Amino acid sequence: MTSLVRGSQLARLLGHWHALPGRRRSPDYAALAGAVRGLLADGRLPLGVRLPAERELAEALKVSRTTVTAAYRGLRESGHLTSRRGAGSWTTLPRGHRVASSGLWTPLDDMDMIDLGCAALAAPAELLPSARAAAEDLPRYLDGAGYHPTGIVELREAIAQEYTERGLTTSAEQIMVTNGTQHALDLVLRLTVPAGAGVLVESPTYPNALAALSARRARIATHGLDALGAGWDADLLLDAIRQTRPRLAYLIPEFQNPTGHLMPAELRERVVATAHASGTDLVVDESFVDLALDGTPMPPPTAVFDRHSRVVCIGGMSKPYWGGLRVGWVRASAPFVQRLAALRVGVDMASPVLDQLVAVHLLARADVIVRARQAQLAAQRDALAAALREALPEWRFTLPRGGVTLWAELDGPISSALARAAEEVGVRLAPGPRFGVDGTLERFLRFPFTLPAAELVEAVSRLAAVRYDLDRTSRPQWKEPAVFA
Ligand SMILES: Cc1ncc(COP(=O)(O)O)c(C=O)c1O
């Protein structure tokens, strides 16, 4: 089924489309078409949605119908819209574009692109020996059918052991192995969030979590984080849970993506108690829990405060080890895991045995691998921060004490415009609005520090040049963007 964007919704998404930078010289219809392409470009307007009828959008935008007709024609010509008489118009992509690792649609000739859209490290040196050792182990499994809906026992035991060592006693029965953290989230949502149910998320938050929630047709409410301050505002967060009584709240307490904030122990305890009193389940995404930098002491796991099986933890190998492994997990009560396993049979049955064996070998060397990752990330973060302070001193940020991302406040609402301009100088960015639901966050930009320091420094120097040009350029901004989402 195709979803429909109403005129008022598209108008809200478009915001001040008529007053954006570079607007002076372009006619209204071209500016409108450019703004729609911009929304597609930064992921705020999905592909395959039906746009409002021309008259409806004209009314919502308070422009003439001719303007909208011409804008839609322009979008059809550039390949961003497909129309069928009597049925409507759908957002599409021009031919010759593909999905890149960042989840953005990009042109094919992007081999030299510095990709700051993706917050993940290359594989560690230990990956290959672990894969070889896993292949040696495989014969132990070949006599069986190979379907293990909750995961192979040795991996579940290794994951449970990690939780126990963090102070949260856990047995293998409480673990389900998934194909990555994103898969874990999707399965949990399938089980717990009926269509139309309310879900509270942080703003900004991890964009693919928003995508998973949209797919389940959740009603998303947000708790705004203070980017440069403490992150969560305890009173506002707890009030939001009490007042809206969401079915579920999705939180990233450890080095939140994208802000890098770490939730203090006291707030963890209060959130769990408030969620229980409000009938809200908590999904805690612990993707970055291993990546404390500078010896930052870690608060206890959120689930330590859970006495009513309200907290479901999700996590995975992608951030400390390698995203290409596609190994994640759910930690919950044993009955919840059983229900998830029953549901999973209708989705993907089970995770690959060989990949799970690789994960077992990597976890066995966790101490060495994670320590090296922390050192690498701290050095890259520091190089990035120094380059930003030097080249773009008017941008502000709080140095993250862990995780893989730095969230910078820019010197104006230029994030999407900057992302479009940056593509032209070979830097891919995920602009601020990708991390929110309401088209805000234009003053923010996420910087992952997962690339080598030299590339980060080079990217910042290119961005500084582009930032300078944004103010001075006389050419129209409404040209076809290089990123499509
Ligand atoms: C907060 C968060 N959750 C989940 C994921 C997805 O992880 P995985 O690769 O394990 O599916 C990411 C990846 O960036 C993330 O940042």
Side-chain angles (χ1 to χ4, degrees):
M1 228 177 87
T2 311
S3 60
L4 167 72
V5 186
R6 288 197 297 275
S8 54
Q9 292 170 323
L10 186 53
R12 185 167 50 73
L13 274 178
L14 286 163
H16 299 293
W17 62 277
H18 41 73
L20 290 173
R23 180 56 241 284
R24 259 168 299 139
R25 287 152 187 250
S26 59
D28 273 0
Y29 73 86
L32 180 55
V36 171
R37 285 189 204 105
L39 287 176
L40 279 165
D42 67 17
R44 286 152 61 192
L45 185 62
L47 290 173
V49 294
R50 189 139 64 91
L51 291 192
E54 291 170 4
R55 184 173 331 116
E56 186 189 340
L57 184 59
E59 275 167 22
L61 293 175
K62 298 188 174 50
V63 297
S64 75
R65 182 161 170 194
T66 335
T67 300
V68 178
T69 305
Y72 276 18
R73 190 185 314 120
L75 288 167
R76 270 192 295 274
E77 281 165 10
S78 63
H80 294 87
L81 206 58
T82 299
S83 304
R84 196 147 32 88
R85 192 178 289 279
S89 300
W90 291 267
T91 52
T92 49
L93 278 180
R95 282 161 174 272
H97 291 77
R98 64 179 172 82
V99 181
S101 56
S102 59
L104 303 175
W105 291 78
T106 59
L108 288 165
D109 56 351
D110 65 349
M111 295 307 286
D112 292 331
M113 188 70 79
I114 302 179
D115 190 351
L116 296 184
C118 187
L121 291 160
E126 290 83 355
L127 200 283
L128 213 50
S130 299
R132 292 202 177 102
E136 297 290 315
D137 287 345
L138 194 57
R140 285 198 275 116
Y141 285 85
L142 297 181
D143 287 341
Y147 294 108
H148 305 267
T150 55
I152 59 172
V153 174
E154 52 192 305
L155 179 55
R156 295 161 68 204
E157 276 172 354
I159 296 164
Q161 169 80 15
E162 290 220 323
Y163 275 105
T164 304
E165 282 166 11
R166 278 172 52 211
L168 183 62
T169 308
T170 301
S171 65
E173 291 69 39
Q174 291 178 268
I175 302 293
M176 168 188 262
V177 178
T178 61
N179 302 319
T181 316
Q182 183 71 16
H183 182 221
L185 176 61
D186 183 67
L187 289 175
V188 170
L189 294 180
R190 282 170 194 258
L191 191 61
T192 56
V193 177
V199 174
L200 184 74
V201 301
E202 295 138 341
S203 176
T205 189
Y206 174 54
N208 295 342
L210 294 174
L213 287 165
S214 301
R216 303 256 59 83
R217 294 168 192 242
R219 261 185 311 113
I220 300 175
T222 56
H223 165 66
L225 298 182
D226 177 4
L228 301 177
W232 301 265
D233 178 310
D235 286 337
L236 286 178
L237 174 59
L238 301 182
D239 266 1
I241 296 174
R242 279 188 212 107
Q243 287 166 15
T244 61
R245 295 178 165 273
R247 175 73 198 79
L248 185 142
Y250 167 79
L251 302 173
I252 313 171
E254 284 94 14
F255 312 117
Q256 204 258 357
N257 184 1
T259 62
H261 288 302
L262 178 62
M263 187 183 280
E266 193 226 348
L267 182 53
R268 294 173 187 232
E269 183 165 12
R270 293 175 71 195
V271 168
V272 172
T274 305
H276 176 59
S278 308
T280 296
D281 287 337
L282 282 182
V283 174
V284 173
D285 186 331
E286 302 179 319
S287 285
F288 304 100
V289 71
D290 288 334
L291 298 178
L293 307 181
D294 318 320
T296 297
M298 292 300 288
T302 310
V304 159
F305 303 107
D306 181 25
R307 280 181 285 280
H308 306 279
S309 299
R310 281 274 173 207
V311 180
V312 176
C313 306
I314 59 175
M317 308 284 290
S318 294
K319 300 303 158 171
Y321 301 90
W322 192 43
L325 200 55
R326 307 312 305 138
V327 171
W329 52 80
V330 177
R331 181 213 180 265
S333 67
F336 186 96
V337 166
Q338 286 305 310
R339 286 163 62 208
L340 266 188
L343 175 141
R344 182 183 193 171
V345 168
V347 180
D348 69 336
M349 313 279 280
S351 291
V353 171
L354 184 57
D355 303 24
Q356 294 183 71
L357 289 169
V358 180
V360 169
H361 282 279
L362 286 168
L363 288 179
R365 306 178 73 180
D367 279 358
V368 175
I369 299 175
V370 171
R371 213 174 317 119
R373 293 307 226 187
Q374 291 167 336
Q376 176 189 358
L377 284 166
Q380 288 170 187
R381 174 202 61 186
D382 292 345
L384 171 68
L388 283 171
R389 287 192 189 109
E390 169 81 25
L392 289 152
E394 57 286 359
W395 291 5
R396 302 188 310 150
F397 56 85
T398 303
L399 199 69
R401 290 178 295 153
V404 302
T405 57
L406 178 153
W407 185 240
E409 186 180 3
L410 313 181
D411 54 325
I414 53 166
S415 199
S416 296
L418 193 70
R420 285 195 286 276
E423 285 274 326
E424 290 178 24
V425 292
V427 180
R428 176 164 306 128
L429 299 173
R434 279 189 69 87
F435 300 86
V437 290
D438 48 12
T440 56
L441 305 172
E442 272 291 3
R443 281 187 312 116
F444 295 92
L445 194 56
R446 183 189 76 169
F447 286 91
F449 37 92
T450 42
L451 291 177
E455 284 185 47
L456 295 171
V457 171
E458 171 62 23
V460 171
S461 122
R462 292 186 200 175
L463 283 184
V466 167
R467 172 68 196 97
Y468 183 80
D469 288 347
L470 266 192
D471 285 340
R472 284 151 193 82
T473 183
S474 57
R475 66 183 161 75
Q477 300 289 307
W478 305 110
K479 60 201 291 265
E480 185 154 327
V483 188
F484 304 93

